[in-house]
Amino acid sequence: MRTAICERLGIEFPLFAFSHCRDVVAAVTNAGGFGVLGAIAYSPDELDTELTWMDGQVGGKPYGVDVLVPGKIDASALDHRAHLLDYIPDRHRDFVTHLMGKYAVTAPSKPMTAVADELGRRVTAAGATGLIDVALKHPIGLIASALGPPPPEMVAAAREAGVPVAALVGTVEHALRQVRAGADLIVAQGSEAGGHTGEISTMVLVPQVVDAVAPVPVLAAGGIASGRQMAAAMALGAQGVWCGSVWLTTEEAETAPAVKRKLLAASSLDTVRSRSRTGKPARQLRSAWTEEWDCGQESPGPLGMPLQLLLSEGAMARIGAAAEKGEPGAVELVNYFVGQVVGQLDQVKPARQVVYDMISEFGEAVERLARLSE
Amino acid sequence: MRTAICERLGIEFPLFAFSHCRDVVAAVTNAGGFGVLGAIAYSPDELDTELTWMDGQVGGKPYGVDVLVPGKIDASALDHRAHLLDYIPDRHRDFVTHLMGKYAVTAPSKPMTAVADELGRRVTAAGATGLIDVALKHPIGLIASALGPPPPEMVAAAREAGVPVAALVGTVEHALRQVRAGADLIVAQGSEAGGHTGEISTMVLVPQVVDAVAPVPVLAAGGIASGRQMAAAMALGAQGVWCGSVWLTTEEAETAPAVKRKLLAASSLDTVRSRSRTGKPARQLRSAWTEEWDCGQESPGPLGMPLQLLLSEGAMARIGAAAEKGEPGAVELVNYFVGQVVGQLDQVKPARQVVYDMISEFGEAVERLARLSE
């Protein structure tokens, strides 16, 4: 299969794999797709280590790096004099303490002031630039910007290095803004997607974005975890697909076992678009965590980005540890970002196999369609 | 184009048009698609008149009839001794009066006790059966049941008449229940659809339903108003598509002018899934009506089906009349059921032209896909 984007990036299949797990990224790239590593989990030094490992795995095949740069961010993240955690109101801390008690989570809290400051500032333009500077020292084939438009420094640095910039969007208006900001590739992501997502479904969004930004190429994201869905996305006019959720249940994924079990058991009704983990609407498994924040009578409501992210990351570290020990309250609370395709994910496969299965089913779907028109 | 469903129903294109407007239904059937008339707006006698007109228009080509039979319904609708409007609490009446004042709607209210009783009971199994008995006296090619499973009497009567039964579903579980209840054709409707709809997007729902109910044929609904979207739906495994919103802006549609202007101007962000018009979640244009009911501080919250339907139909009759006179408050309030594809609808075309454009673009999309695999 050859689309213009395959030629441009030097890949066999226009199947992009977004993952926080380097093993998944390497496996997809080696199978002929294009792996993209989510960099938010790493400090610049850690990212350098990961990408050095990657370079050793993929033998020159292309891969990319994704950073998170919200268009709007809580002012706290830009205040370099204070500790970010000091901005979290007592009501919100107390609510988390209340939840830990109510669900009998025994894992202790860890001091995370330094970690929080680092993590919170990583989602600012300045923080993302630090990650991008590291990424551009490696032979990467793509930089992607989730959420807001890529900062000018990112675009300039990528241009100089000859690396295309991709940007995720959930509306036509955002797509046009991203193209004006210098994006070379648009990822149109429907509301059914996992993680930060908008309100318009993939079926409706993709053709509108394709028409609005032509000739800039568009990848489709959201609701795509099979070859039939890949064929559908490309029938809509996308040049390829960007998948995230499908990798969470692969053999290579570092998904925590308690979460993986929940993912494998979940139906497509078991996700919710909630602000409870990052402060911005993000689709994730519905769990006691999302229910308590979104519908609980005592909920103070989520904070903005990045304060809610810091608060929930701290809590989720404890919840995750307790869930792995089998504490039932923690198992009720624990969740992860995932799209509605979670209902299709019912077995653990190697990431390479996911790529091959999707491409094979894509071919069957296209042949079936072609026969209809005979 | 020939799919099994085309052969079975005797149509050229597997493009189903759901409309409350007989002119749209006749035009689509005459263009080679399959028109389906929403019967909820009619009494049995009125439906008989409409279908007699239809029979004179389509020259033996097949068309269908759609009834609304909610699986769960407010007990009031089953109480044949009282007037249904008597079940509406004062708080809810007062809220509507408050809205009419706040938005300066001057059109007078009309007595609608008798109309309400008739309308409210039409959405019960007994009421639907009255409509179906009339429909089966005409040479119809399909009976469709929106919302709950088709009542056993409907299935039995349709079987005896040799008319297939279609049922709309929003989850795999509902699809299996519908097949057990005797549905011959499943319409898998994604969350982006207009009207009563579930939470799972078309991209995710359709392949799951296709696999679950095979070999029962599946039509895709939700997010489909172009040939690319039709091709995508069929790549997902659907044997055809069921479209509603796209007909609202056709020349033939009886859509009120004030509403049509709003539809043509709306973007895909301008819809909301709200209980404010029928008591069950239904996607519609976001307007002051949905905002006040869903987010207004004074909102008493919606009633169940059919009481909310009756309350809002009475109010919308006044609002619609005032909106046609150009009253600005009424224009803010007025809305209609429509899916996210509303963002694509920006010109008025004959319904026949919509069919031809979709089929032509479908062919182009399939050819484009086929070339990728060469």
Side-chain angles (χ1 to χ4, degrees):
Chain A
M1 191 188 340
R2 306 301 285 179
T3 66
I5 204 76
C6 288
E7 306 285 346
R8 177 155 181 193
L9 296 178
I11 53 179
E12 284 182 69
F13 313 122
L15 169 53
F16 292 69
F18 171 77
S19 175
H20 292 286
C21 171
R22 65 184 193 182
D23 297 276
V24 168
V25 174
V28 172
T29 282
N30 281 326
F34 192 103
V36 180
L37 186 71
I40 178 71
Y42 306 111
S43 69
D45 282 351
E46 290 164 350
L47 183 63
D48 196 37
T49 305
E50 297 297 299
L51 299 187
T52 301
W53 178 90
M54 192 78 66
D55 296 335
Q57 294 290 313
V58 299
K61 292 201 188 71
Y63 68 90
V65 169
D66 177 284
V67 294
L68 204 63
V69 191
K72 288 181 200 157
I73 198 161
D74 195 277
S76 59
L78 305 172
D79 175 358
H80 286 251
R81 290 162 306 177
H83 293 306
L84 290 183
L85 291 181
D86 294 343
Y87 278 91
I88 294 178
D90 287 343
R91 291 179 63 204
H92 291 79
R93 289 175 197 279
D94 292 348
F95 183 60
V96 168
T97 305
H98 158 73
L99 289 182
M100 295 298 171
K102 180 172 174 182
Y103 290 89
V105 175
T106 64
S109 63
K110 286 187 198 164
M112 61 174 289
T113 301
V115 178
D117 287 349
E118 221 266 317
L119 177 60
R121 285 170 186 139
R122 214 178 285 157
V123 297
T124 64
T129 303
L131 293 171
I132 285 155
D133 288 346
V134 166
L136 287 173
K137 290 182 189 143
H138 294 264
I140 59 171
L142 187 76
I143 285 180
S145 166
L147 291 177
E153 313 83 53
M154 185 199 290
V155 174
R159 282 273 153 76
E160 196 175 313
V163 174
V165 174
L168 275 75
V169 305
T171 67
V172 168
E173 189 192 347
H174 289 175
L176 293 170
R177 193 190 303 162
Q178 296 279 18
V179 169
R180 283 195 298 270
D184 304 293
L185 177 63
I186 295 293
V187 184
Q189 188 191 42
S191 54
E192 56 268 72
H196 292 115
T197 184
E199 293 176 45
I200 306 171
S201 79
T202 297
M203 187 70 101
V204 174
L205 180 68
V206 170
Q208 289 186 27
V209 171
V210 166
D211 291 348
V213 305
V216 174
V218 173
L219 305 180
I224 303 164
S226 74
R228 280 178 283 177
Q229 288 159 330
M230 183 174 177
M234 294 174 71
L236 295 174
Q239 290 213 7
V241 294
W242 175 280
C243 306
S245 303
V246 71
W247 316 109
L248 294 173
T249 52
T250 57
E251 277 179 19
E252 291 88 343
E254 288 160 2
T255 317
V259 171
K260 216 176 210 177
R261 281 191 292 274
K262 277 191 149 183
L263 295 173
L264 292 167
S267 90
S268 291
L269 285 174
D270 295 328
T271 73
V272 63
R273 195 166 160 269
S274 166
R275 294 179 188 267
S276 63
R277 282 207 51 166
T278 74
K280 289 189 180 282
R283 189 172 296 282
Q284 54 199 280
L285 272 184
R286 191 190 306 273
S287 79
W289 177 266
T290 62
E291 294 294 292
E292 292 282 0
W293 276 97
D294 297 343
C295 317
Q297 291 220 323
E298 287 138 334
S299 171
L303 297 164
M305 166 87 97
L307 294 183
Q308 186 71 20
L309 172 70
L310 302 181
L311 185 63
S312 80
E313 282 297 304
M316 275 292 162
R318 296 175 60 188
I319 291 166
E324 292 315 321
K325 287 194 286 176
E327 293 184 14
V331 171
E332 280 185 72
L333 286 166
V334 77
N335 83 344
Y336 196 67
F337 305 102
V338 72
Q340 291 188 333
V341 293
V342 71
Q344 302 166 223
L345 308 179
D346 53 10
Q347 54 174 313
V348 176
K349 292 198 281 194
R352 183 186 65 249
Q353 194 60 45
V354 172
V355 175
Y356 296 154
D357 288 352
M358 282 184 70
I359 299 305
S360 159
E361 201 194 60
F362 173 89
E364 289 163 17
V366 171
E367 277 178 33
R368 181 167 43 75
L369 269 185
R371 280 197 302 272
L372 290 181
S373 298
E374 276 168 8
Chain B
M1 191 189 337
R2 307 300 286 180
T3 67
I5 204 76
C6 288
E7 306 284 347
R8 177 156 181 193
L9 296 178
I11 53 179
E12 283 182 69
F13 313 121
L15 170 52
F16 291 69
F18 171 79
S19 175
H20 292 286
C21 171
R22 67 184 192 180
D23 297 276
V24 168
V25 174
V28 172
T29 282
N30 281 326
F34 192 103
V36 180
L37 186 71
I40 179 72
Y42 306 112
S43 69
D45 282 352
E46 289 164 351
L47 182 63
D48 196 37
T49 305
E50 296 298 298
L51 299 188
T52 300
W53 178 89
M54 192 78 66
D55 296 335
Q57 293 291 312
V58 299
K61 291 201 188 72
Y63 67 90
V65 169
D66 177 283
V67 293
L68 204 62
V69 191
K72 288 181 200 157
I73 197 160
D74 194 279
S76 59
L78 304 173
D79 176 358
H80 285 250
R81 291 161 307 175
H83 292 308
L84 290 184
L85 291 181
D86 294 344
Y87 278 91
I88 294 177
D90 287 342
R91 290 179 65 204
H92 291 78
R93 289 177 196 278
D94 292 348
F95 183 61
V96 169
T97 305
H98 158 73
L99 289 182
M100 295 298 172
K102 180 171 175 183
Y103 289 89
V105 174
T106 65
S109 63
K110 287 186 198 162
M112 62 173 288
T113 301
V115 178
D117 287 349
E118 220 267 316
L119 177 60
R121 284 168 188 140
R122 216 178 285 155
V123 297
T124 64
T129 302
L131 293 171
I132 286 155
D133 288 346
V134 165
L136 287 173
K137 289 182 188 140
H138 294 265
I140 60 171
L142 188 74
I143 285 180
S145 167
L147 292 179
E153 313 83 55
M154 183 199 290
V155 174
R159 282 272 154 77
E160 196 173 314
V163 174
V165 174
L168 275 76
V169 305
T171 67
V172 168
E173 190 191 347
H174 289 174
L176 292 171
R177 195 190 302 164
Q178 296 278 18
V179 169
R180 282 195 298 270
D184 303 294
L185 177 63
I186 295 293
V187 184
Q189 188 192 42
S191 54
E192 55 268 72
H196 293 115
T197 185
E199 294 177 45
I200 307 171
S201 79
T202 298
M203 188 69 100
V204 174
L205 180 68
V206 171
Q208 289 185 27
V209 171
V210 166
D211 291 348
V213 305
V216 174
V218 173
L219 305 179
I224 303 164
S226 74
R228 279 178 284 178
Q229 288 159 331
M230 183 174 177
M234 293 175 71
L236 295 174
Q239 289 214 6
V241 294
W242 175 279
C243 306
S245 303
V246 71
W247 317 109
L248 295 173
T249 52
T250 56
E251 278 179 17
E252 291 88 344
E254 289 161 0
T255 317
V259 171
K260 217 177 210 176
R261 281 191 292 275
K262 277 192 149 182
L263 294 173
L264 291 167
S267 89
S268 291
L269 285 174
D270 294 329
T271 73
V272 63
R273 195 167 160 268
S274 166
R275 295 179 188 266
S276 64
R277 282 207 52 166
T278 73
K280 289 188 181 283
R283 190 172 295 282
Q284 54 199 281
L285 274 184
R286 193 189 305 271
S287 79
W289 177 266
T290 61
E291 293 295 291
E292 291 282 0
W293 277 97
D294 297 343
C295 317
Q297 291 220 324
E298 287 138 337
S299 171
L303 297 164
M305 165 85 98
L307 295 184
Q308 186 71 19
L309 173 69
L310 303 181
L311 186 63
S312 80
E313 282 298 305
M316 274 293 162
R318 297 176 60 186
I319 292 167
E324 292 315 321
K325 288 194 286 178
E327 292 184 15
V331 171
E332 279 185 73
L333 286 166
V334 78
N335 83 343
Y336 196 67
F337 305 102
V338 73
Q340 291 188 333
V341 293
V342 71
Q344 301 167 224
L345 308 179
D346 52 10
Q347 54 175 314
V348 176
K349 292 198 281 193
R352 183 186 65 248
Q353 194 61 44
V354 172
V355 175
Y356 296 156
D357 288 352
M358 282 183 69
I359 299 304
S360 159
E361 201 193 61
F362 173 89
E364 290 163 18
V366 171
E367 275 178 34
R368 180 169 44 75
L369 269 185
R371 280 197 301 273
L372 289 181
S373 298
E374 277 167 7

